[in-house]
Amino acid sequence: MVSVLKAAVGGLMDVCRANNHLRGFLHNHLKLFAAGMKTYEIPPDYSNVVLPAKPKLKFLNKVPNLKKAKKEMKKLRDIQGPAKAANAFTVGQYAIVAMGGGYLHWGHFEMMRLTINRKMDARTTFARWRVNAPYKPVTRKGLGQRMGGGKGAIDHYVTPVRYGRLIVELGGKVELGEVESVLTEVAKKLPFPAKVMSREDLEALKKVHADMEQNNQNPWTFKQIVQGNMLGIRKVLSPFDLHNHGRFTGKFHLPGRV
Amino acid sequence: MAATLCAKLLPKQGWLPLSVSVRHGSKAVTRHRRPQHILKKKLLAVTEYIPPTRDAPPGAYPHQIKRGQEECTGLMLLIKEDLKKVFQDYKMIAVVQNNNSNTDDMLTLRHRLHKHGISVKFFPNQVMHLFLGDSIYGSMAPLFIGPTVLFVSKTPKLREMLSTLRVSPQMTLLGACIDNTLLSVQGVLHYSKLPSMTVVQGELVSGLTMLTSHTVSVLQRHPGQLSALLQQYIKQQSSETTSEAKTESAT
């Protein structure tokens, strides 16, 4: 009886002291009261987040609106090497980042748009494209046509993507855990290796690379050897290697190189 | 069979292909990586990233604690007094490293050592360093790193201790202080091979008494024999002196 009374009084005291200073013989009885008390983490501050008027992904045209469609060459250079545009965050917090080069066509755009628009919460989240609508024409010859007779007609349009480019950016009053599953689901279906990253992740990735370049214990670096044209090595290398220091072969990124 | 196959399949070491077939024409296929020139492959292999060597893990080295910052509690002082008594009373103090021995091992070890009158003592390293810092045993301080145990006994019983330690692989002898002399492991081994004090004393006494006993035995023989011996002795002495005189005159 006495202990119950003590517990009750102790519980009241405990509430006053914010569950921190349990001391003395009351402690054992206080456990009963302290069991339900939990200190929750302070939720992140979203006071400075401004949601745009149209939070969902925009529909992108399948065919660009051109007066005269011109056939182009393959120009594979547009998927080789690192991205020079859209390789950093602008408004969002989380993004799908390309880990290799490749071409996105309209089907991929539709898949991304439909999945993300359906699964994200438009009241708290917004999404933005970081790639343009398909603009590069790809030609094909008709089925059953004999070879020759010039270049085929334009079949479809694609968007070239290089390593490190952001595809879709998400932001708003959400945490990564809430949108990660949707984004990974989308990233798996893209025609190149892609990862879901937050702002911090991307910064960390860049920092890791900078650190590797700084702390490399190998006295021979690709850059130095190729720039000096040691032993006439430029004979077997391309200008592409001169710029990218052996970090890429075509559209593929070679991880772990400096 | 497998060996010959492997030998055929594996490229020879230090062999350069005479002609490298790398096509320079169409680069349209992006599905897979294009084959690279062997020189480029070699260049890539040579210029791999080498990470910097990692530092020693934290805790690998003892902390550098400054003398002034150490706090002495009452308990520490008490243990220090005990330690002082141990160093006064016991003649043999062996420092042994305790490598993860469990209670059973320790119990059996204690039992075995107790038979020879050696006891096992545990002291915290902090207190040990505190004690060693201002005593004459200061040079023992480097032995006390990590889990260490003291084997102490009133008389130096090294041979028994070493034979016991040979049985228990968890314990490693680091050094010992015997009769206020610091010994390394080698020193301890050499010390244990020495004969005991009584044996040495006996040898000395026997060596000294042998000469006198020999004289006595010579004196107790027949007088004729004794006189012959003495005559021979005198002859030898005289011949030596004459030869010496001759050499002196010649010079």
Side-chain angles (χ1 to χ4, degrees):
Chain A
M1 188 62 210
V2 174
S3 71
V4 170
L5 238 169
K6 270 178 191 170
V9 174
L12 280 173
M13 281 163 71
D14 181 37
V15 170
C16 299
R17 289 188 212 159
N19 197 17
N20 279 336
H21 310 285
L22 299 177
R23 222 172 274 132
F25 65 97
L26 282 175
H27 186 90
N28 287 335
H29 309 294
L30 284 180
K31 263 185 190 169
L32 197 117
F33 278 83
M37 308 271 284
K38 191 178 174 185
T39 49
Y40 290 100
E41 269 183 44
I42 301 165
D45 183 25
Y46 293 126
S47 59
N48 53 357
V49 174
V50 182
L51 289 174
K54 291 184 176 177
K56 295 204 169 185
L57 286 176
K58 217 169 58 179
F59 174 79
L60 296 178
N61 285 335
K62 192 175 182 182
V63 176
N65 188 13
L66 300 169
K67 274 185 183 162
K68 175 95 172 82
K70 283 197 78 175
K71 298 172 193 171
E72 286 178 14
M73 287 194 246
K74 277 200 198 321
K75 285 199 297 188
L76 287 174
R77 233 167 299 121
D78 57 14
I79 57 169
Q80 293 179 350
K84 298 202 176 54
N87 53 6
F89 281 87
T90 53
V91 286
Q93 290 296 320
Y94 319 109
I96 301 175
V97 183
M99 289 282 116
Y103 289 114
L104 289 174
H105 53 74
W106 189 71
H108 295 126
F109 281 98
E110 278 301 280
M111 177 271 293
M112 281 191 269
R113 185 176 70 86
L114 290 172
T115 318
I116 292 174
N117 281 357
R118 196 188 314 123
K119 298 210 172 165
M120 83 176 190
D121 184 3
R123 284 170 300 175
T124 57
T125 323
F126 67 89
R128 282 281 170 277
W129 288 116
R130 294 304 305 276
V131 282
N132 302 329
Y135 62 88
K136 183 185 175 181
V138 176
T139 60
R140 294 269 159 83
K141 276 182 189 286
L143 205 66
Q145 207 165 353
R146 300 204 175 187
M147 285 299 111
K151 198 168 167 79
I154 291 173
D155 184 58
H156 61 279
Y157 288 84
V158 292
T159 303
V161 171
R162 281 185 172 143
Y163 166 83
R165 184 171 184 126
L166 311 191
I167 312 295
V168 172
E169 218 173 281
L170 259 77
K173 300 168 184 176
V174 285
E175 287 182 52
L176 181 59
E178 297 175 57
V179 291
E180 198 175 16
S181 58
V182 183
L183 292 180
T184 40
E185 185 191 336
V186 169
K188 274 184 206 166
K189 293 175 187 168
L190 295 179
F192 41 77
K195 254 190 198 172
V196 179
M197 283 194 190
S198 64
R199 249 174 213 267
E200 294 79 45
D201 292 343
L202 195 67
E203 260 170 40
L205 188 77
K206 283 178 181 168
K207 191 173 178 299
V208 163
H209 183 248
D211 282 355
M212 275 172 78
E213 212 157 347
Q214 187 88 37
N215 303 329
N216 191 5
Q217 297 299 300
N218 196 342
W220 299 103
T221 56
F222 195 94
K223 188 179 176 183
Q224 175 200 358
I225 289 174
V226 175
Q227 279 184 348
N229 190 16
M230 292 185 189
L231 295 171
I233 196 77
R234 288 279 295 279
K235 190 183 165 191
V236 296
L237 299 175
S238 66
F240 178 74
D241 292 317
L242 189 65
H243 295 303
N244 296 324
H245 313 311
R247 291 180 60 219
F248 293 90
T249 52
K251 66 174 185 178
F252 300 103
H253 172 62
L254 303 174
R257 287 198 62 86
V258 287
Chain B
M1 181 62 198
T4 53
L5 257 180
C6 284
K8 272 181 189 173
L9 286 173
L10 287 172
K12 286 177 203 164
Q13 293 292 313
W15 174 79
L16 252 182
L18 295 173
S19 63
V20 182
S21 60
V22 174
R23 293 173 57 180
H24 292 290
S26 167
K27 288 161 177 89
V29 178
T30 57
R31 193 174 290 271
H32 50 79
R33 287 184 189 179
R34 279 173 47 74
Q36 289 172 326
H37 196 276
I38 181 114
L39 286 179
K40 191 184 172 186
K41 274 187 200 165
K42 283 184 177 179
L43 178 62
L44 285 174
V46 163
T47 58
E48 291 255 313
Y49 169 68
I50 299 173
T53 48
R54 289 165 64 198
D55 293 337
Y61 295 104
H63 291 290
Q64 299 286 334
I65 302 168
K66 282 171 191 165
R67 275 289 163 81
Q69 291 175 354
E70 283 175 8
E71 286 217 0
C72 287
T73 56
L75 181 66
M76 278 168 78
L77 289 175
L78 199 69
I79 300 170
K80 197 179 157 188
E81 287 301 311
D82 281 358
L83 207 54
K84 201 179 273 177
K85 209 169 283 172
V86 164
F87 270 83
Q88 274 175 5
D89 292 353
Y90 293 96
K91 283 207 166 173
M92 184 193 83
I93 298 159
V95 187
V96 180
Q97 195 181 14
N98 178 10
N99 293 318
N100 195 21
S101 65
N102 54 23
T103 350
D104 288 352
D105 296 335
M106 191 50 85
L107 204 67
T108 47
L109 185 76
R110 276 192 159 185
H111 178 69
R112 279 190 194 129
L113 288 173
H114 187 71
K115 273 190 222 163
H116 305 297
I118 303 170
S119 52
V120 179
K121 293 205 183 266
F122 294 89
F123 289 103
N125 278 352
Q126 211 179 348
V127 183
M128 186 63 86
H129 282 288
L130 198 69
F131 167 71
L132 292 175
D134 41 66
S135 72
I136 52 164
Y137 307 102
S139 47
M140 278 179 87
L143 296 178
F144 294 95
I145 294 169
T148 44
V149 177
L150 289 187
F151 289 176
V152 292
S153 73
K154 301 256 178 185
T155 51
K157 291 185 172 175
L158 281 176
R159 206 171 296 168
E160 291 87 347
M161 188 189 73
L162 285 175
S163 62
T164 320
L165 278 178
R166 210 173 293 139
V167 182
S168 64
Q170 292 94 353
M171 311 299 275
T172 319
L173 188 67
L174 297 176
C177 179
I178 295 152
D179 295 338
N180 289 348
T181 315
L182 187 60
L183 292 178
S184 66
V185 181
Q186 283 299 318
V188 170
L189 285 173
H190 289 312
Y191 190 100
S192 67
K193 279 167 195 164
L194 290 178
S196 69
M197 202 65 166
T198 48
V199 175
V200 173
Q201 281 169 353
E203 272 181 11
L204 185 67
V205 168
S206 66
L208 287 173
T209 50
M210 205 175 74
L211 290 172
T212 51
S213 63
H214 197 68
T215 322
V216 167
S217 67
V218 166
L219 286 174
Q220 280 173 352
R221 278 183 193 164
H222 194 264
Q225 203 178 0
L226 188 63
S227 63
L229 277 171
L230 282 172
Q231 271 176 1
Q232 196 180 356
Y233 177 70
I234 290 160
K235 203 183 277 176
Q236 275 179 1
Q237 286 289 346
S238 62
S239 69
E240 272 181 17
T241 48
T242 50
S243 66
E244 275 176 12
K246 269 178 189 173
T247 50
E248 274 173 11
S249 63
T251 52

